[in-house]
């Protein structure tokens, strides 16, 4: 690395490689490859690329209801009147929303936490949109709380469980239904290769056989 | 892919993902991950990133002598008076220059072709800086051509060999010395895993044993 750094033929190239290499998962070698690629592209293509990145960072807004990235005040999902407005699926980030939307199985709304409680990474409840979720649930539960469902769609690791539990303690008092994603063997998964925790859970929460 | 595309919550996000995903070796999923990473960064960091890329594309120049990317009219290597100005190492691209510089074993100058002759990819001699190399060698060979050496440091594949041969035919008439990189087993390489071509060449061009 040091050696490579020492022999950059151009400060402009070095700065671009540093910048590209600062992206997660892109090492210095890939960064150099990408920089030389961009150098070979027509200027307008490169500007279209950098403009798109700048626009995203400068002009992106967040839905006032679910905190998802949105081009307007309210995202396309929250403003879709055909969706079940009393079911809220709590997810860590936008990618999770996109994954669940891709299943076509969910017709409620979302709440994007913007992260997960992680003491190791110094992320506490106040760094997430939990307060917004709580007041949102409070509002919904004012009439007929039984008809409100909050689905915890967080990862199955310790941090996900911790976050789900923290949120549960905040909203359970409103008497709304709180559920979480079913855990078990993936469809078509081979028993032999399932980790013990997943397998164990799939036994405990076994379901009536459907023939 | 289509599905994911359909469910972008934001056109800004989609445009950024398209732009990032257009880079070589970056798929749509990584592009989304990178876009969401940039979205989380402070605006000034993102602008530093895009400025560095724009500067590279807009302000980079090429050395008038060796055609390598350079911040000035002549690159740092060509303007280094301590280097052997009568030895030219012909390489495909800037990365090759950096690799050879990293060995610390070469003290001559370079010539960056900017590619390699590849009929399949529609790259012919006129797309490369071969004409510049020829006139450069012609100039050097005006006095004492025997003291001029042109080293072909091109890849060992068919396209590299073709390019080297094409260049050789152009410059041999100047009576300069033309050499090419030694080919053989890598240091510490295991005979068992060497491909037959490399192994064969390493036998043909065997060298006196140094004890």
């Amino acid at each position: 690395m040091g050696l490579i750094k020492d022999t950059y033929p151009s400060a402009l190239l070095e700065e671009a490689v540093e910048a590209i290499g600062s992206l997660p998962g892109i090492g210095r070698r890939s960064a150099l490859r990408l920089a030389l690629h961009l150098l070979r592209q027509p200027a307008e293509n490169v500007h279209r690329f950098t403009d798109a990145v700048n626009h995203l960072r400068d002009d992106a807004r967040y839905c006032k209801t679910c905190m998802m990235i949105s081009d307007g005040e309210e995202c396309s999902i929250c403003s879709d009147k055909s969706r079940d407005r009393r079911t809220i699926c709590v997810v860590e980030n936008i990618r999770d929303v996109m994954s669940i939307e891709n299943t076509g199985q969910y017709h409620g709304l979302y709440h994007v936490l913007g992260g997960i409680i992680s003491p190791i990474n110094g992320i506490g409840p106040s760094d997430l949109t939990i307060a917004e979720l709580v007041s949102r649930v409070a509002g919904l539960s004012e009439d007929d709380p039984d008809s409100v469902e909050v689905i915890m769609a967080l990862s199955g690791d310790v941090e996900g469980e911790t976050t789900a539990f923290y949120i549960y303690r905040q909203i359970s008092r409103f008497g709304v239904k709180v559920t979480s994603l079913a855990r078990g063997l993936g469809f078509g998964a081979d028993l032999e290769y399932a980790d013990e925790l997943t397998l164990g859970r799939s036994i405990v929460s076994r379901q009536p056989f459907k023939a």
Side-chain angles (χ1 to χ4, degrees), chain A:
Chain A
M1 287 311 146
L3 264 172
I4 291 173
K5 192 164 177 308
D6 292 339
T7 56
Y8 275 102
S10 151
L12 288 170
L13 178 63
E14 180 165 6
E15 281 151 23
V17 171
E18 296 281 354
I20 298 170
S22 71
L23 296 173
I26 297 187
R28 186 178 285 278
R29 291 200 170 279
S30 324
L32 176 59
R33 190 173 46 78
L34 290 172
L36 295 178
H37 166 82
L38 288 164
L39 192 59
R40 284 194 304 271
Q41 302 308 303
E44 58 269 27
N45 294 14
V46 175
H47 296 153
R48 206 176 305 121
F49 165 75
T50 51
D51 289 347
V53 170
N54 284 334
H55 282 316
L56 174 67
R57 181 58 187 82
D58 299 337
D59 307 332
R61 298 165 63 187
Y62 292 89
C63 174
K64 65 176 173 21
T65 310
C66 71
M67 305 296 151
M68 178 161 68
I69 180 175
S70 163
D71 294 336
E73 224 194 9
E74 194 172 51
C75 74
S76 50
I77 294 174
C78 287
S79 52
D80 177 350
K81 297 292 169 244
S82 76
R83 299 186 73 123
D84 169 7
R85 316 192 68 73
R86 297 181 73 75
T87 306
I88 300 176
C89 183
V90 179
V91 294
E92 180 177 343
N93 57 45
I94 299 162
R95 250 176 307 168
D96 300 332
V97 173
M98 293 169 71
S99 304
I100 294 172
E101 283 299 290
N102 286 338
T103 67
Q105 297 298 307
Y106 181 66
H107 309 291
L109 305 186
Y110 293 92
H111 192 88
V112 180
L113 294 175
I116 201 126
I117 296 175
S118 168
I120 306 124
N121 302 317
I123 300 171
S126 58
D127 301 312
L128 310 177
T129 64
I130 292 177
E132 289 84 350
L133 173 62
V134 172
S135 59
R136 199 177 158 190
V137 174
L140 278 174
S141 63
E142 275 165 6
D143 58 334
D144 189 12
D146 305 350
S147 68
V148 178
E149 177 175 2
V150 177
I151 305 170
M152 302 288 187
L154 301 171
S155 54
D157 56 16
V158 178
E159 296 179 333
E161 302 274 336
T162 309
T163 308
F165 183 67
Y166 179 90
I167 292 171
Y168 175 77
R169 279 182 31 221
Q170 302 277 312
I171 61 174
S172 53
R173 66 174 186 272
F174 300 115
V176 300
K177 191 200 296 176
V178 182
T179 58
S180 69
L181 292 184
R183 306 240 177 244
L185 287 181
F187 282 92
D190 189 332
L191 256 175
E192 192 179 341
Y193 302 113
D195 65 282
E196 287 147 1
L197 188 58
T198 304
L199 189 54
R201 286 201 189 190
S202 69
I203 294 167
V204 172
S205 54
R206 60 192 178 280
Q207 293 159 1
F209 182 75
K210 292 192 197 67

